[in-house]
Amino acid sequence: GESVGLHLPTLSVQEGDNSIINCAYSNSASDYFIWYKQESGKGPQFIIDIRSNMDKRQGQRVTVLLNKTVKHLSLQIAATQPGDSAVYFCAENYSPSGGYQKVTFGTGTKLQVIP
Amino acid sequence: DSGVTQTPKHLITATGQRVTLRCSPRSGDLSVYWYQQSLDQGLQFLIQYYNGEERAKGNILERFSAQQFPDLHSELNLSSLELGDSALYFCASSVATGVTNSPLHFGNGTRLTVT
């Protein structure tokens, strides 16, 4: 999985508002998509995933939307809290063959929650 | 706790030196991935192993090498270190059965400082 080494875009949101983080993916053959949250000084953590046969999946306060037509993924966080401040990465997975998966990460978005 | 263990947590060394970073994947995970993350940047994919075999290579420098051992732990070797190699190095693992894709589980990284 590769990602471009650019400085991260930032999204600033007022506490209590909803956040929407967007991601464009590149491979139309990708069949599994994941959002990760990375807090400062830690490794990325799994938040929610979605398979290509779905267009929406909901978790606790989070929803992932998948639009395969335009190869777009979004993460919606309801009632954003200060603890949601982190960098969010999307990832697209493709399994060519042989029991392994090719993972490509997006560039990441930094979410800043304003108290 | 992701179940992925990386050692050491911090490493400070001089230019020109060689270091080895170690990763123990989650129990049962066959795939290991290595990523480099510079300050406020995204995840740069380095290399991926599946059950001991190299499966994919990213932008990994020739000065860097890795391997996955029969017990599935992995090591990333960085040699002739330069100041620009200072970064967080993450290891991730996944089940990757080839039947069902699965998320990556990340360790908390090794912070390498080259002086």
Side-chain angles (χ1 to χ4, degrees):
Chain A
E2 303 178 17
S3 70
V4 179
L6 301 174
H7 288 284
L8 301 170
T10 300
L11 174 67
S12 296
V13 174
Q14 204 73 37
E15 182 179 355
D17 287 352
N18 296 335
S19 303
I20 299 176
I21 300 171
N22 295 303
C23 174
Y25 66 92
S26 56
N27 187 354
S28 56
S30 292
D31 56 4
Y32 178 57
F33 304 87
I34 308 168
W35 281 99
Y36 294 90
K37 173 186 181 183
Q38 186 180 22
E39 295 175 289
S40 181
K42 295 186 179 179
Q45 291 178 295
F46 169 84
I47 303 174
I48 190 167
D49 58 2
I50 188 167
R51 302 196 186 277
S52 58
N53 60 352
M54 303 171 69
D55 52 23
K56 181 178 180 179
R57 190 160 189 231
Q58 287 185 290
Q60 190 176 16
R61 282 201 308 118
V62 294
T63 300
V64 55
L65 299 177
L66 174 63
N67 185 330
K68 294 182 287 293
T69 303
V70 295
K71 292 191 283 189
H72 184 267
L73 197 63
S74 69
L75 177 70
Q76 300 178 0
I77 304 174
T80 311
Q81 301 169 0
D84 295 326
S85 293
V87 176
Y88 290 81
F89 292 98
C90 66
E92 56 177 306
N93 287 25
Y94 165 59
S95 291
S97 65
Y100 76 102
Q101 54 187 353
K102 181 175 168 59
V103 182
T104 304
F105 280 86
T107 53
T109 297
K110 191 179 221 176
L111 177 64
Q112 287 182 337
V113 181
I114 304 163
Chain B
D1 182 11
S2 68
V4 178
T5 304
Q6 288 188 250
T7 56
K9 289 185 181 178
H10 301 277
L11 201 47
I12 301 174
T13 189
T15 54
Q17 295 299 304
R18 173 191 166 95
V19 297
T20 297
L21 312 184
R22 195 178 193 278
C23 170
S24 293
R26 266 188 351 155
S27 177
D29 284 359
L30 299 178
S31 276
V32 169
Y33 305 72
W34 285 98
Y35 289 87
Q36 180 193 57
Q37 186 177 43
S38 300
L39 188 64
D40 285 341
Q41 292 201 4
L43 295 160
Q44 295 287 333
F45 170 65
L46 296 177
I47 198 162
Q48 175 189 356
Y49 284 85
Y50 175 70
N51 204 19
E53 293 185 10
E54 182 186 305
R55 284 294 186 166
K57 246 180 179 176
N59 297 324
I60 187 166
L61 300 170
E62 284 191 13
R63 300 183 285 109
F64 295 1
S65 65
Q67 54 184 325
Q68 186 180 26
F69 294 87
D71 67 354
L72 300 177
H73 92 271
S74 179
E75 292 181 356
L76 178 68
N77 301 297
L78 315 176
S79 61
S80 303
L81 284 167
E82 302 175 359
L83 295 177
D85 297 327
S86 295
L88 267 170
Y89 290 85
F90 287 105
C91 169
S93 71
S94 72
V95 174
T97 62
V99 175
T100 303
N101 281 324
S102 57
L104 301 189
H105 300 270
F106 283 82
N108 280 329
T110 293
R111 182 173 292 282
L112 173 67
T113 303
V114 182
T115 61

